[in-house]
């Protein structure tokens, strides 16, 4: 209830919904740290108890190549002397998979080795939001990430934290916030911006919107129209 009241007061003060969501992301990161230090006996903000505010979907934000390289480098060079540091470094593979597949934030956490067919260069990605799966060709960049991971049984998770457990929302958000802070990332960039980056970069080199729509797993090309203005031919 305190967090809900905070959301309401921030909006009343003129803050943008995206900014309020960033505040809550940072709050989650603080709670995660306090749990790790055993300053809290239980999570006061368990998953599903706080809903992010709705942000105008017609205004996607995406990474420039320079921002993306700096972001990933911050994860890959994280101090590994602590469990948290090792987890943040491991998150670089998680975020690369996000960029190379255009997945939603938590979809890579559900990937298992049975979803990967390296000989055929295909990966099947279950999409919880649409209750469907999308199948993508495995790019050379994605293949390099997959081959760097310890191979597991067909039912084993493809991406795991250093302790062998699947990625949680708190761990994913913590890694993002850490890297964002390290490189002073723009406030309008979020985890979901990586999905927008996947689509935006494709649109900017002339990939047809219908193709991008299928790669994203959109149910309608209308959802993909927000990237139309990025096409090299858009002014024509």
């Amino acid at each position: 209830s305190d967090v809900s009241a905070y959301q309401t007061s921030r909006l009343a003060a003129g803050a943008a919904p995206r900014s309020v969501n960033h505040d809550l992301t940072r709050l989650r990161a603080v709670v995660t740290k306090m749990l790790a230090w055993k300053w809290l006996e239980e999570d006061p903000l368990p998953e599903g108890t706080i809903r992010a505010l709705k942000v105008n979907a017609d205004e996607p934000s995406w990474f420039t190549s320079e921002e993306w390289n700096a972001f990933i480098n911050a994860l890959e060079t994280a101090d590994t002397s602590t469990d948290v540091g090792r987890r943040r470094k491991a998150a670089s593979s998680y975020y690369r998979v996000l960029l190379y597949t255009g997945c939603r934030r938590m979809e890579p956490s559900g990937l298992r080795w049975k979803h990967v067919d390296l000989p055929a260069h295909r990966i099947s990605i279950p999409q919880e939001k649409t209750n469907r799966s999308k199948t993508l060709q495995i790019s050379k960049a994605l293949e390099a990430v997959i081959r760097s991971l310890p191979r597991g049984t067909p039912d084993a998770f493809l991406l795991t934290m250093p302790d062998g457990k699947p990625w949680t929302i708190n761990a994913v958000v913590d890694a993002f916030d850490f890297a964002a802070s390290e490189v002073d990332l723009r406030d309008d960039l979020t985890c979901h911006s990586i999905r927008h980056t996947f689509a935006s970069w494709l649109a900017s080199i002339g990939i047809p919107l219908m193709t991008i729509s299928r790669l994203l797993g959109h149910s309608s090309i209308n959802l993909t129209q927000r990237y139309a203005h990025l096409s090299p031919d858009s002014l024509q």
Side-chain angles (χ1 to χ4, degrees):
S1 60
D2 289 336
V3 174
S4 296
Y6 174 80
Q7 289 175 306
T8 301
S9 65
R10 286 280 280 139
L11 291 174
R18 193 186 301 275
S19 297
V20 180
N21 289 342
H22 279 308
D23 291 344
L24 297 186
T25 296
R26 295 187 181 97
L27 175 60
R28 286 186 186 278
V30 171
V31 169
T32 298
K33 177 65 73 174
M34 294 175 74
L35 288 168
W37 286 345
K38 301 188 184 306
W39 289 7
L40 293 173
E41 293 184 358
E42 61 182 40
D43 189 349
L45 303 173
E47 186 173 351
T49 58
I50 299 177
R51 290 188 177 276
L53 298 175
K54 186 175 181 179
V55 177
N56 188 352
D58 293 329
E59 299 178 359
S61 56
W62 59 88
F63 286 72
T64 66
S65 58
E66 293 79 9
E67 288 170 332
W68 173 256
N69 290 333
F71 173 83
I72 283 295
N73 184 65
L75 292 174
E76 293 182 339
T77 58
D79 180 7
T80 57
S81 61
T82 64
D83 289 340
V84 172
R86 286 189 286 273
R87 191 177 64 212
R88 288 169 174 170
K89 183 171 183 176
S92 64
S93 294
Y94 189 98
Y95 278 110
R96 286 186 184 277
V97 171
L98 271 183
L99 180 68
Y100 301 151
T101 61
C103 280
R104 296 177 180 85
R105 180 173 61 180
M106 292 309 297
E107 286 175 349
S109 66
L111 286 173
R112 299 175 187 268
W113 280 99
K114 65 183 179 183
H115 296 133
V116 177
D117 187 344
L118 282 176
H121 300 285
R122 288 192 180 123
I123 182 169
S124 178
I125 303 172
Q127 297 182 285
E128 184 177 350
K129 183 175 181 179
T130 60
N131 199 28
R132 296 181 302 173
S133 292
K134 67 177 182 180
T135 300
L136 303 178
Q137 287 291 114
I138 295 177
S139 65
K140 290 182 179 180
L142 179 58
E143 181 177 355
V145 174
I146 293 174
R147 290 192 181 279
S148 72
L149 303 172
R151 183 81 191 202
T153 62
D155 284 327
F157 287 102
L158 179 69
L159 293 158
T160 60
M161 295 186 288
D163 61 4
K165 296 179 181 178
W167 284 92
T168 64
I169 180 65
N170 285 341
V172 170
V173 169
D174 169 75
F176 185 94
D177 286 347
F178 162 76
S181 176
E182 286 290 295
V183 301
D184 195 21
L185 207 61
R186 286 182 286 130
D187 283 345
D188 63 330
L189 290 174
T190 66
C191 289
H192 196 67
S193 298
I194 300 176
R195 180 169 163 86
H196 291 314
T197 302
F198 170 85
S200 300
W201 286 4
L202 290 175
S204 68
I205 60 173
I207 302 300
L209 287 183
M210 181 60 77
T211 301
I212 296 174
S213 181
R214 294 184 65 181
L215 292 173
L216 287 171
H218 280 166
S219 57
S220 169
I221 194 173
N222 292 335
L223 299 173
T224 322
Q225 289 295 334
R226 71 186 73 175
Y227 307 107
H229 69 286
L230 298 172
S231 169
D233 298 327
S234 62
L235 294 181
Q236 293 180 333

